[in-house]
């Protein structure tokens, strides 16, 4: 069984003792957007075919935004793309992106704790959150530390939703962020990276 067997949040809640709630927890942290990055993104949006598949959304929108924010935290955090995450036969698969602690042994080692899981979905946010929450549960079990806060992102490129899993509580941010307001979106992503950075010893 892989993460994609979970079609919505309720599927995960039925299998694991997790409570679900919604509230706004994102506190936008200012970030300066590099003009080169902004121009390149604008070019892709105007000239590229980028919303035709999840792969195109990943490569053209989600990954560049994650990289732009991650650059500020690269001394402690590492961004992984399409790396296997396996806890057991029910919790295994390949998230689109993961942010984890940078290993002192080098960047080729996927080091605990895992901190942020990102799932790209072309249209279906309900299914995206089912997969993302299952991935967060797997990451939490692998980390072996329930009290830390693991963040999740589900995005179709244009719209970004955020949540976190801490102990047995999954909280989804009520407010969502949109690509059209890139500044606010990147400040929200920056909040997740900053909070993750602070959890790394």
């Amino acid at each position: 069984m892989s993460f994609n067997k979970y079609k919505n949040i309720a599927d995960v809640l039925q299998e694991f003792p997790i409570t679900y709630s919604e509230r706004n927890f994102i506190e936008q942290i200012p970030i300066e957007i590099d003009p080169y990055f902004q121009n390149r993104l604008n070019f892709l949006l105007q000239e590229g075919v980028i919303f035709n598949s999840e792969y195109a959304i990943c490569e053209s929108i989600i990954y560049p935004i994650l990289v732009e924010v991650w650059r500020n935290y690269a001394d402690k955090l590492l961004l992984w793309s399409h790396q296997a995450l396996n806890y057991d036969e029910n919790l295994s698969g390949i998230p689109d992106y993961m942010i984890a602690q940078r290993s002192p042994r080098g960047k080729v080692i996927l080091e605990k704790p895992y901190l942020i899981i990102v799932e790209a979905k072309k249209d279906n946010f309900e299914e995206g959150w089912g997969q993302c929450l299952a991935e967060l549960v797997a990451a939490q079990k692998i980390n072996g530390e329930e009290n830390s806060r693991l963040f999740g992102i589900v995005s179709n490129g244009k719209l970004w939703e955020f949540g976190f899993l801490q102990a047995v509580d999954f909280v989804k941010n009520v407010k969502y962020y949109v690509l059209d307001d890139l500044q606010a979106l990147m400040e929200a992503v920056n909040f997740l990276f900053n909070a993750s950075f602070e959890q790394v010893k």
Side-chain angles (χ1 to χ4, degrees):
M1 294 284 191
S2 63
F3 296 124
N4 60 15
K5 80 166 186 173
Y6 299 99
K7 300 303 180 185
N8 51 52
I9 291 172
D11 282 354
V12 183
L13 267 56
Q14 287 171 359
E15 194 164 322
F16 301 97
I18 296 170
T19 62
Y20 172 80
S21 62
E22 296 180 1
R23 65 179 170 84
N24 285 322
F25 64 85
I26 297 286
E27 299 173 18
Q28 292 172 219
I29 296 178
I31 185 171
E32 187 174 338
I33 300 176
D34 184 274
Y36 174 80
F37 165 77
Q38 176 85 68
N39 291 337
R40 190 172 182 82
L41 183 62
N42 289 341
F43 171 77
L44 283 169
L45 290 170
Q46 291 169 13
E47 305 296 338
V49 181
I50 54 179
F51 296 106
N52 62 317
S53 72
E54 288 175 13
Y55 291 110
I57 291 166
C58 279
E59 293 170 1
S60 303
I61 303 293
I62 296 176
Y63 186 68
I65 287 174
L66 292 176
V67 168
E68 190 63 20
V69 179
W70 165 59
R71 292 191 320 161
N72 300 303
Y73 302 96
D75 58 328
K76 279 190 181 181
L77 306 181
L78 201 56
L79 172 60
W80 292 83
S81 173
H82 298 84
Q83 174 72 27
L85 177 67
N86 299 312
Y87 175 69
D88 61 20
E89 61 182 20
N90 289 318
L91 292 171
S92 64
I94 302 177
D96 289 313
Y97 301 103
M98 287 189 292
I99 290 84
Q101 176 175 289
R102 179 181 286 275
S103 173
R105 295 188 291 154
K107 67 178 184 178
V108 296
I109 304 292
L110 180 56
E111 185 81 29
K112 297 186 297 182
Y114 307 144
L115 299 158
I116 306 172
I117 306 284
V118 185
E119 193 63 39
K121 279 293 166 194
K122 188 168 182 287
D123 296 308
N124 194 337
F125 275 79
E126 193 171 332
E127 185 176 348
W129 274 115
Q131 289 178 225
C132 189
L133 180 53
E135 291 160 359
L136 291 173
V137 171
Q140 184 186 68
K141 291 179 179 297
I142 293 169
N143 286 349
E145 189 179 330
E146 287 195 349
N147 287 327
S148 63
R149 184 174 286 195
L150 289 167
F151 294 100
I153 302 172
V154 176
S155 175
N156 64 2
K158 295 178 181 178
L159 189 150
W160 295 57
E161 294 184 348
F162 301 94
F164 73 82
L165 176 65
Q166 187 168 19
V168 296
D169 297 317
F170 175 68
V171 179
K172 192 161 169 282
N173 205 67
V174 176
K175 180 181 178 180
Y176 59 83
Y177 291 80
V178 294
L179 187 61
D180 282 347
D181 189 350
L182 184 63
Q183 186 67 51
L185 169 60
M186 291 189 65
E187 288 177 358
V189 175
N190 195 31
F191 168 79
L192 266 61
F193 271 87
N194 186 73
S196 300
F197 186 85
E198 293 296 326
Q199 291 186 89
V200 174
K201 297 173 183 176

